[in-house]
Amino acid sequence: MEKILIAGNIRSYHPEAGPVSLTLAPGDLCYLQGSEKACNTMFEMLTGLKKPDEGTVAVLGQNPYTMPETERAVFRRDHIGAVPRGSGFLPELTLLEQVRLPMVLAGFSQEEIRTRIRKNAFGYLPLHDLYNPAGRCSQRTLALAGVLRARVMAPPILILNAAFDHLSGKDAELVWQEMQAVLAENLAFLYLSSAPAPSDILWSETMQLSGR
């Protein structure tokens, strides 16, 4: 089976995080639990934003840190569905504008963009919500829209950094229910968080993430 992500003993010294070794193939669901600082740093190393001080990262057999910066940005856009802590949305722009952006940059047709948005929309995220400025949206809507923006490029892996941790109990429950359909699509999924792993997800692996 093809390995989507291979992290070999990766570690950061400033700020401290790791070492972590993990391998994710299609269908694997991994939960990394650690401090907010450690999760932030590990998220950056695994998504091509921060080169590890030690160890190696490979996505689809390629090391993004050997690529020129522009090429690495395109690789991340096309192959890694990354959802940062918080929404990652600009408050003054509509959700639709920000969900469309990676597809516009990739040169997709308007028809393809509409198709991908409809295909990946969630039951608790009505399409009309996408026309609202991010600053006016609920935290639950922003959380689901963040995953939508990551999914429209059809990446083989989703990496979420505490994207649902800030939600209230009921909202978090609804979001994880929506994620069940996403996790059934045989992609690799990694969630980083300072909270315990949701018990209703059949995790392939859970790991404790800590600094040195």
Side-chain angles (χ1 to χ4, degrees), residues 14-194:
H14 304 288
E16 295 185 0
V20 164
S21 293
L22 60 89
T23 300
L24 294 179
D28 287 342
L29 314 177
C30 182
Y31 198 95
L32 290 183
Q33 184 181 11
S35 68
E36 180 176 330
K37 180 188 294 185
C39 287
N40 290 345
T41 304
M42 191 59 58
F43 175 81
E44 292 176 346
M45 291 191 292
L46 292 171
T47 58
L49 292 172
K50 174 182 171 64
K51 185 177 181 179
D53 292 318
E54 292 184 9
T56 59
V57 176
V59 179
L60 298 175
Q62 299 188 62
N63 182 349
Y65 295 106
T66 62
M67 303 175 183
E69 184 175 350
T70 301
E71 182 180 339
R72 185 167 74 248
V74 172
F75 182 84
R76 291 180 63 251
R77 182 196 70 199
D78 293 347
H79 301 297
I80 304 174
V83 183
R85 184 179 296 272
S87 70
F89 288 111
L90 297 174
E92 65 275 11
L93 299 180
T94 68
L95 294 180
L96 182 60
E97 290 172 329
Q98 297 176 80
V99 167
R100 286 167 45 91
L101 181 59
M103 293 181 286
V104 172
L105 293 175
F108 292 169
S109 69
Q110 294 301 312
E111 181 179 358
E112 177 68 12
I113 290 173
R114 286 192 295 269
T115 299
R116 290 194 178 212
I117 290 175
R118 291 194 184 100
K119 177 182 177 181
N120 292 288
F122 300 89
Y124 289 105
L125 180 61
L127 288 177
H128 65 78
D129 283 353
L130 294 175
Y131 290 90
N132 293 326
R136 299 180 185 176
C137 295
S138 69
Q139 292 300 307
R140 186 180 71 190
T141 296
L142 291 174
L144 289 171
V147 177
L148 173 59
R149 182 172 60 182
R151 278 167 48 80
V152 290
M153 295 301 295
I157 183 169
L158 284 178
I159 302 178
L160 278 62
N161 183 22
F164 311 145
D165 287 9
H166 58 291
L167 300 177
S168 65
K170 185 61 175 177
D171 281 345
E173 179 182 344
L174 290 172
V175 168
W176 279 111
Q177 286 176 5
E178 289 290 279
M179 286 298 295
Q180 295 282 8
V182 176
L183 301 182
E185 294 182 1
N186 207 39
L187 47 71
F189 180 73
L190 175 63
Y191 194 89
L192 300 98
S193 173
S194 58

Side-chain angles (χ1 to χ4, degrees), residues 27-30 180 183 198-206:
D28 287 342
L29 314 177
C30 182
Q180 295 282 8
L183 301 182
S199 58
D200 54 344
I201 303 294
L202 186 61
W203 300 101
S204 306
E205 185 175 15
T206 59

